[in-house]
């Protein structure tokens, strides 16, 4: 979270204004949430392109300086150009260090190739969910949740509850009850 992304407040709204800004090498964005009004801002395209290379930017708490005033935010949504992949718009939600936030983080499956189900039973890991919704304080937000599949056998199904939760992090689905412990991966027969 050492990187600070610099933003400038913008007054122009709408599609035409956004298109003009993108032609000037700027990415339109909105910063909202907290006890402050939403702010329409722009970022330099090259700074955004560099920032989105890091998974931490997309899944962690990011510092944004709006006309010099720093705020902590998370990326709520990011729109990319369908052909070029360039970022066209970003929605950022302010976070409060004392208030739990709800966001999605990547699931990271490890040790599948070392599991008996893959190594000696002819299976392969089939991932069914790449993200999990978590609730935690901003300081506890993990970059990803680890799911260790080392004990995996052919036909075994891994559920949300198999993810290793760092201290202070809760899975939103499991807060609703055990019947929300959905499958996230399985070791299935490898297709030849």
């Amino acid at each position: 979270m050492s990187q600070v992304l610099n933003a400038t407040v913008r007054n122009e709204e709408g599609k035409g204004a956004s298109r003009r800004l993108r032609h000037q090498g700027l990415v339109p964005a909105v910063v909202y949430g907290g006890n402050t009004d939403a702010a329409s801002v722009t970022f330099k395209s090259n700074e955004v392109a560099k920032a989105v290379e890091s998974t931490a930017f997309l899944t962690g708490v990011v510092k944004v300086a709006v006309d010099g005033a720093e705020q902590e935010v998370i990326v709520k949504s990011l729109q990319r150009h369908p052909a070029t992949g360039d970022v066209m718009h970003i929605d950022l939600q302010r976070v409060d260090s004392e208030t739990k936030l709800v966001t999605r983080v990547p699931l990271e499956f490890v040790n599948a190739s070392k599991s008996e189900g893959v190594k000696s039973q002819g299976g392969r890991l089939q991932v069914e969910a790449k993200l999990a919704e978590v609730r935690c304080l901003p300081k506890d937000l993990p970059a990803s949740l680890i799911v260790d599949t080392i004990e995996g056998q052919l036909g075994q199904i891994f559920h949300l509850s198999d993810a290793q939760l760092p201290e202070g992090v809760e899975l939103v689905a499991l807060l609703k009850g055990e019947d929300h412990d959905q499958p996230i991966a399985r070791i299935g027969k490898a297709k030849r």
Side-chain angles (χ1 to χ4, degrees):
M1 200 174 78
S2 56
Q3 183 184 11
V4 177
L5 210 54
N6 291 304
T8 307
V9 173
R10 66 183 161 105
N11 298 318
E12 290 184 86
E13 303 279 333
K15 276 187 182 176
S18 292
R19 195 174 300 116
R20 279 191 299 281
L21 291 167
R22 282 192 283 275
H23 283 297
Q24 295 168 16
L26 300 171
V27 176
V30 175
V31 182
Y32 65 89
N35 299 331
T36 315
D37 290 342
S40 296
V41 299
T42 58
F43 295 102
K44 290 182 179 167
S45 298
N46 59 344
E47 290 180 15
V48 170
K50 187 176 178 198
V52 296
E53 289 174 4
S54 162
T55 308
F57 174 78
L58 299 172
T59 61
V61 177
V62 179
K63 282 191 180 169
V64 172
V66 180
D67 287 340
E70 280 190 15
Q71 307 173 33
E72 290 187 336
V73 299
I74 56 172
V75 175
K76 271 317 235 189
S77 75
L78 191 111
Q79 295 165 1
R80 292 182 184 265
H81 189 280
T84 64
D86 292 344
V87 176
M88 295 179 61
H89 190 274
I90 309 173
D91 285 348
L92 301 165
Q93 180 183 344
R94 293 181 190 100
V95 297
D96 171 9
S97 62
E98 305 299 315
T99 305
K100 286 186 178 185
L101 59 93
V102 173
T103 191
R104 293 170 185 252
V105 296
L107 291 167
E108 187 178 337
F109 297 89
V110 298
N111 294 324
S113 62
K114 298 177 187 169
S115 73
E116 203 172 306
V118 172
K119 203 164 66 175
S120 57
Q121 297 173 343
R124 72 178 184 89
L125 184 70
Q126 299 165 345
V127 175
E128 296 173 16
K130 290 183 167 40
L131 298 170
E133 199 170 39
V134 297
R135 186 175 84 174
C136 61
L137 289 172
K139 70 176 178 60
D140 296 328
L141 186 62
S144 65
L145 294 179
I146 304 293
V147 181
D148 193 345
T149 59
I150 190 86
E151 302 291 326
Q153 302 290 322
L154 188 64
Q156 182 168 348
I157 297 173
F158 295 93
H159 292 81
L160 271 177
S161 58
D162 292 314
Q164 299 169 12
L165 293 179
E167 179 108 13
V169 178
E170 301 168 301
L171 284 163
V172 172
L174 298 184
L175 294 173
K176 298 173 185 171
E178 282 182 31
D179 53 334
H180 291 270
D181 190 8
Q182 65 228 35
I184 52 175
R186 65 184 70 231
I187 295 184
K189 269 281 187 216
K191 293 180 178 64
R192 302 248 178 263

